[in-house]
Structures are given as structure tokens and as C-alpha cells.
Amino acid sequence: MPPSPLTTSPEILTLLKNLHTKSLTQESTVDWHTLPQQCTPEFDSIMLDKFIALDQDKCELVYHILRSINAKTVVEAGTSFGVSTIYLALAVAENAKRVSATTKPRVIATEKEESKAELARAHWAKAGREVEDVIELRVGDLRETLTEDLGTVDFLLLDIWTPLALPALKLVQPHFRPGAVIIADNTVKAGDRYQELFAYVDAEGSGFRRVTMPYEGGLDMIVYQ
Ligand SMILES: C[S@@+](CC[C@H](N)C(=O)[O-])C[C@H]1O[C@@H](n2cnc3c(N)ncnc32)[C@H](O)[C@@H]1O
């Protein structure tokens, strides 16, 4: 096993490992083939007590990208119990320690379900002040919570029900800095449901370029030129 790319304490690494394990254990009990359509009350109710956290290797890649692009302002569409958010927070907090850093680090996280948001806050409290202090959690529908006060955005994580991926991208787009990165999960497995997003991003003159990476289910990295 290569060493973790994260600059953090052994306690936080253990916390993350345990959260990923819980998420995967839960996922193994879900019958993915018989689920109702996403963005319906039936689907949301099944998902209310589920982590469905971004896989650990994908979270580590996201952390690595954030460190490499020196991201300070990050938006997360889909927070759930806040697992991927910890990686985002650790990365921007670490970037802010760089000698030339002037911008305050921010992770703007958004989650529709209050009960999920509450548990996310509890996980962040376990991770400590460095993580808690940089996260700004907006509870509610991202189509409302992401309409204001984003600042200049370096990175967007699209780990959200697929019908919301394009609306989220469009809301954040006016705030992207040149070279901003967007990561979208499950782009092969749920490829048919990503068609609108792909058409938008792939259109000539869109300002976006994307590549699909061979992670489990497919992971797209999109760069805003
Ligand atoms: C795949 S999960 C996010 C997992 C999280 N990124 C992690 O790695 O721990 C997607 C989350 O988006 C939330 N969600 C669904 N519709 C939403 C909406 N309209 N606005 C904000 N969040 C929403 C769901 O409740 C769910 O918790």
C-alpha cells in the first residue's frame, strides 16, 4: 500500500477509514437495481440514513488535485454525512498554510436533508477545529443554497443525484476561476443519466474539457479553461 497522500494526523486517517468502512458496509445492503428514480421522495427516503460516501481512492485523488491547484474555495454539491467534505477541508486548510497564502480557505458544502447535515457536523467535530473551521454548511436544496456568496471557486465536487449535476454546474460556473476543476462521480456506471451534463460540457466553445478516469463506476475530471 502506498502511503496516504493526506497531510494529517493518524487520528483523522483512522476516522476516515472507519467512515468509509461504514459507508461500504451499508452500500452492500442496498439493492441498487430496484431503487426508485433519483430525485423522488421514495428515493430520498431510502437514502436518508445512507452515507453513500465517495470512495476512499477517489477522495484521495480529489485531495491531491486540490493541493496541486492550490484550491482555497471549494463547493461540494452533495454532502451527506460529510465524509468527502473532510478531505476537501483538510486540503484547503493545508493550502492556506502556504507562505504566499492570503485567501481564507472555504468549503461551501450543501445538503438537502437536515438529519444528514447534523450527522455530518458531528463527524467534522470529531475531525477537529481545522476541519470544522473551514466548512460552511448550507442546508437546503442546492438550487437555492448555491445562488449566492460563492466568491471565486477553484473546485466543484459533483457527488449528487445525477439530475442535479448540470443545474449545480451552471450555478457555480459564473464563479469559476480559469483552470477550475470539477469532479463528477459514477460517470460510466450512470453514463446514460449524465448525458445532459456531457452535452453541455462537450459543446464547442463551452470552455470545458473533460476526461473520464478508470475509477470504479467512472470518474470525470472537467477543467474550465
Ligand atoms: C452521494 S451523496 C454525497 C456523499 C458525500 N459527498 C460523501 O462523500 O460523503 C449525495 C447527497 O446529496 C443530497 N442531495 C440530494 N438532493 C439534493 C439537493 N437538491 N440539494 C442538496 N443536496 C441534495 C442527498 O441527500 C445525499 O446526501
Side-chain angles (χ1 to χ4, degrees):
M1 279 279 280
S4 166
L6 275 64
T7 305
T8 191
S9 66
E11 290 75 20
I12 291 184
L13 290 178
T14 302
L15 170 70
L16 289 170
K17 188 167 170 276
N18 291 340
L19 293 174
H20 283 294
T21 303
K22 277 189 189 172
S23 180
L24 288 175
T25 306
Q26 249 186 358
E27 274 182 39
S28 66
T29 67
V30 177
D31 183 357
W32 296 96
H33 301 291
T34 59
L35 284 176
Q37 266 206 337
Q38 293 191 354
C39 288
T40 59
E42 298 75 27
F43 183 81
D44 286 351
S45 132
I46 294 170
M47 291 300 157
L48 199 56
D49 65 346
K50 307 287 184 301
F51 276 81
I52 31 171
L54 192 67
D55 295 330
Q56 184 166 3
D57 56 349
K58 296 174 182 174
C59 284
E60 289 178 351
L61 174 76
V62 163
Y63 177 93
H64 226 37
I65 293 171
L66 293 179
R67 298 299 321 276
S68 118
I69 65 169
N70 200 20
K72 301 285 175 35
T73 304
V74 167
V75 176
E76 178 178 64
T79 294
S80 190
F81 298 153
V83 180
S84 51
T85 330
I86 296 177
Y87 291 83
L88 305 178
L90 289 171
V92 296
E94 204 57 35
N95 288 342
K97 292 179 192 161
R98 285 180 169 141
V99 186
S100 59
T102 48
T103 317
K104 192 176 166 292
R106 283 174 91 195
V107 175
I108 300 159
T110 185
E111 172 53 53
K112 180 167 78 77
E113 310 288 354
E114 177 58 56
S115 60
K116 297 190 102 173
E118 231 171 85
L119 203 46
R121 286 191 202 100
H123 292 146
W124 302 335
K126 281 190 189 154
R129 291 296 296 271
E130 187 180 44
V131 164
E132 280 185 300
D133 284 355
V134 297
I135 302 173
E136 182 185 321
L137 178 60
R138 301 183 182 182
V139 182
D141 188 323
L142 65 85
R143 288 164 290 193
E144 286 158 21
T145 59
L146 296 183
T147 54
E148 58 186 27
D149 188 22
L150 297 181
T152 301
V153 175
D154 303 296
F155 182 93
L156 168 66
L157 178 60
L158 291 173
D159 191 20
I160 189 72
W161 308 158
T162 46
L164 294 165
L166 183 55
L169 179 72
K170 284 184 175 172
L171 277 171
V172 183
Q173 184 175 354
H175 306 277
F176 282 140
R177 59 116 143 139
V181 174
I182 301 102
I183 289 284
D185 190 29
N186 271 330
T187 46
V188 173
K189 191 169 152 199
D192 52 336
R193 288 187 268 116
Y194 269 115
Q195 287 310 309
E196 276 190 9
L197 180 99
F198 293 161
Y200 183 77
V201 165
D202 296 344
E204 210 181 317
S206 73
F208 294 102
R209 284 278 184 278
R210 77 179 168 100
V211 64
T212 304
M213 297 179 285
Y215 280 77
E216 175 81 33
L219 190 74
D220 269 43
M221 177 168 171
I222 304 165
V223 176
Y224 192 58
Q225 309 292 329

